């Protein structure tokens, strides 16, 4: 894989992770479950974390187009599944989410598959 493909893939994964984590942060505020749907959506529209997440996904979209322009679709999509690993780590680090043994085993299987595709 060329250095430009690796760079595009890593940047795509980073912006995907940043967007997901920003949305999680916006959605994890206390008290939103007790509000009416209209108040919840108004609060989301004013939340900078929501806008940061949207911005990250817009950038990730263009980076992903770049990935697909330099890699075959089948390889790019399989390598893109590394985002699952990034999200598992991000949830644990930033939100102290519990990682069970089955999640860890699944992550190891995904990592092995990504490694095989990346090396192949």
């Amino acid at each position: 894989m060329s250095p430009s493909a690796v760079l595009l893939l890593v940047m795509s994964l980073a912006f995907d992770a940043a967007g997901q984590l920003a949305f999680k942060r916006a959605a994890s505020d206390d008290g939103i479950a007790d509000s009416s749907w209209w108040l919840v959506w108004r609060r989301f529209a004013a939340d900078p974390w929501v806008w940061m997440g949207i911005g990250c996904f817009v950038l990730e979209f263009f980076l992903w187009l770049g990935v697909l322009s330099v890699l075959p679709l089948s390889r790019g999509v399989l390598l893109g599944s590394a985002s699952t690993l990034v999200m598992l780590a991000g949830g644990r680090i930033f939100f102290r989410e519990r990682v069970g043994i089955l999640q860890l085993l699944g992550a190891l299987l995904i990592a092995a598959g990504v490694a095989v595709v990346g090396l192949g």
Side-chain angles (χ1 to χ4, degrees):
M1 200 165 31
S2 71
S4 62
V6 171
L7 179 62
L8 284 168
L9 183 63
V10 168
M11 289 176 60
S12 174
L13 290 172
F15 277 100
D16 182 48
Q20 295 286 356
L21 292 170
F23 283 159
K24 173 66 176 176
R25 171 65 178 85
S28 64
D29 285 342
D30 293 332
I32 63 170
D34 299 330
S35 301
S36 71
W37 68 271
W38 175 247
L39 292 175
V40 170
W41 286 105
R42 277 187 50 201
R43 191 188 68 69
F44 282 152
D47 192 329
W49 288 103
V50 170
W51 292 104
M52 186 174 115
I54 291 170
C56 286
F57 280 127
V58 168
L59 289 171
E60 192 270 338
F61 170 77
F62 289 106
L63 289 165
W64 186 244
L65 286 176
V67 169
L68 294 178
S69 72
V70 296
L71 289 177
L73 179 63
S74 59
R75 193 172 196 193
V77 169
L78 290 172
L79 290 171
S81 67
S83 66
T84 303
L85 304 172
V86 176
M87 287 299 92
L88 183 70
R92 177 72 182 125
I93 292 167
F94 295 108
F95 298 105
R96 303 201 193 294
E97 293 179 348
R98 186 181 160 295
V99 178
I101 191 71
L102 290 178
Q103 288 172 307
L104 192 57
L105 179 62
L108 291 172
L109 290 171
I110 291 169
V114 168
V116 167
V117 169
L119 294 172

